[in-house]
Amino acid sequence: MNQQIDTKLIDGKAFAASLTQEIAQKVLHLQQDTGMTPGLAVILVGDNPASEVYVRNKAKQTHKVGMRSFMHMMPSTTTQEALLALVARLNEDPDVHGILLQLPLPDGLDPKPIIQSIAPHKDVDGLTAYNAGQLALGYTEGLIPCTPLGCLMLLKNELKTLKGMNAVVVGASNLVGRPMARLLLNEGCTVTIAHIHTKNTEEIARQGEILIVATGCQGLVKGSWIRPGATVIDVGITRIPAENNKTKLVGDVVFEEALGRASRITPVPGGVGPMTIACLLSNTFKTASKQIKQS
Ligand code: NAD
């Protein structure tokens, strides 16, 4: 017999708002103690409208918590050398404590050497080999990519301990899937990763007491893919046409089908998205306070 479950929506927006408020308080105390203000530099190359919205929102939130925001909007004609030179300059700038390179880069630019040229202690997106290595080794000193960090915070807030749970991560990017899987492993979960070449993703997904989906494939995960009672974190964001010539954001999970099946789920929008920005501010504060206290 199929039992209907009363699915709880995980309110990432509210959690992020309280985290942001906490960070604003900490920024204030740091300023009072040291006279210094944390600063975040964001680099955007080209004219991708979605990236522009993200970057402006990040700058707005950075100001809101009392930190300085340095926006570097570069034309799509920017060369690899010019980008490397900009990162080198920001690495040396004592007012800049965090550097974020907004991805994806326009065609013709190779993100890998640019990301790897960011000083690890300013790498607030946790993408350098140093920070990814710290996480892979189960060490806690490195900076953790913002989106998986936000997902983990939501999970721990809901479930308290994750130890011993079966977790399935669908998606294996360096930005989300891989670090997510490593974080869950470090929490004591038994982790399975599914990706584009996985043959039986549906079957694997159904084993997850925790199911994280980060593929960018709208509606990939149907209700029947979800283990009854699972906690589902939907990272995917796709903008689709809506009524009255408008657009709306949807996730990788068929939300309506997940209701009654999952015990908890993050909505899109209002789930993981706000947590990503809050964790960016948290990472910036963390590394800034370390740098300021050492200076
Ligand atoms: P990506 O394209 O770099 O990686 C996608 C991953 O999904 C790959 O590992 C690929 O193998 C896997 N995949 C693709 N199709 C699949 C399928 N049919 N079955 C199984 N696996 C499949 O993307 P990303 O940067 O990891 O982002 C994933 C999604 O999350 C996107 O929609 C992105 O917009 C969203 N995202 C949201 C936030 C947020 O703050 N909410 C942050 C980052 C990314």
Side-chain angles (χ1 to χ4, degrees):
M1 191 180 72
N2 264 350
Q3 206 187 340
Q4 275 293 100
I5 292 171
D6 190 10
T7 307
K8 175 186 171 189
L9 297 193
I10 301 175
D11 190 346
K13 204 171 161 189
F15 194 104
S18 88
L19 186 60
T20 305
Q21 222 168 27
E22 255 174 55
I23 297 165
Q25 281 300 315
K26 288 186 189 168
V27 170
L28 199 66
H29 289 146
L30 185 72
Q31 283 168 330
Q32 284 165 350
D33 291 349
T34 66
M36 305 281 284
T37 302
L40 171 66
V42 177
I43 305 170
L44 173 66
V45 190
D47 42 20
N48 179 331
S51 293
E52 231 168 89
V53 172
Y54 291 143
V55 162
R56 292 199 189 284
N57 198 12
K58 281 169 186 167
K60 199 170 124 195
Q61 299 293 328
T62 306
H63 284 300
K64 216 168 134 186
V65 294
M67 302 202 283
R68 297 175 75 187
S69 161
F70 306 96
M71 298 271 281
H72 294 270
M73 314 285 265
M74 315 282 281
S76 53
T77 50
T78 304
T79 62
Q80 189 88 11
E81 292 69 32
L83 264 181
L84 285 167
L86 172 61
V87 172
R89 216 172 65 231
L90 297 173
N91 281 341
E92 294 303 321
D93 187 338
D95 289 336
V96 172
H97 304 100
I99 302 170
L100 183 132
L101 177 69
Q102 184 68 40
L103 299 171
L105 292 180
D107 288 347
L109 289 172
D110 181 0
K112 202 160 115 184
I114 302 166
I115 290 168
Q116 296 310 323
S117 75
I118 297 173
H121 64 286
K122 295 192 179 187
D123 168 30
V124 282
D125 231 354
L127 292 175
T128 56
Y130 173 83
N131 285 313
Q134 293 283 318
L135 181 59
L137 292 170
Y139 299 164
T140 53
E141 287 78 13
L143 288 160
I144 296 167
C146 308
T147 301
L149 179 59
C151 296
L152 184 72
M153 283 182 183
L154 292 177
L155 282 171
K156 286 175 89 168
N157 186 52
E158 292 295 326
L159 302 167
K160 310 307 168 209
T161 176
L162 312 185
K163 207 168 279 174
M165 292 185 81
N166 274 337
V168 174
V169 181
V170 186
S173 70
N174 284 335
L175 195 61
V176 189
R178 280 169 203 246
M180 187 73 245
R182 288 172 181 144
L183 279 171
L184 291 166
L185 179 62
N186 294 348
E187 290 295 323
C189 291
T190 302
V191 185
T192 309
I193 309 175
H195 48 78
I196 189 80
H197 302 298
T198 303
K199 294 194 179 83
N200 51 343
T201 304
E202 173 177 352
E203 212 173 290
I204 291 170
R206 230 178 348 256
Q207 287 163 19
E209 295 169 273
I210 294 170
L211 176 61
I212 316 264
V213 193
T215 66
C217 298
Q218 171 206 340
L220 175 73
V221 173
K222 319 285 181 278
S224 59
W225 291 34
I226 298 169
R227 173 180 173 142
T231 297
V232 179
I233 305 286
D234 190 354
V235 182
I237 300 178
T238 307
R239 188 169 287 281
I240 60 164
E243 283 169 12
N244 302 329
N245 273 344
K246 293 197 169 146
T247 60
K248 64 174 183 177
L249 298 179
V250 293
D252 290 353
V253 178
V254 183
F255 185 74
E256 298 72 24
E257 293 184 14
L259 298 178
R261 182 96 178 178
S263 64
R264 303 170 184 84
I265 186 169
T266 52
V268 178
V272 175
M275 288 303 291
T276 296
I277 298 190
C279 288
L280 173 65
L281 301 175
S282 169
N283 273 352
T284 304
F285 178 79
K286 179 180 165 186
T287 188
S289 57
K290 216 180 205 174
Q291 290 168 58
I292 288 169
K293 282 170 188 162
Q294 280 168 359
S295 66

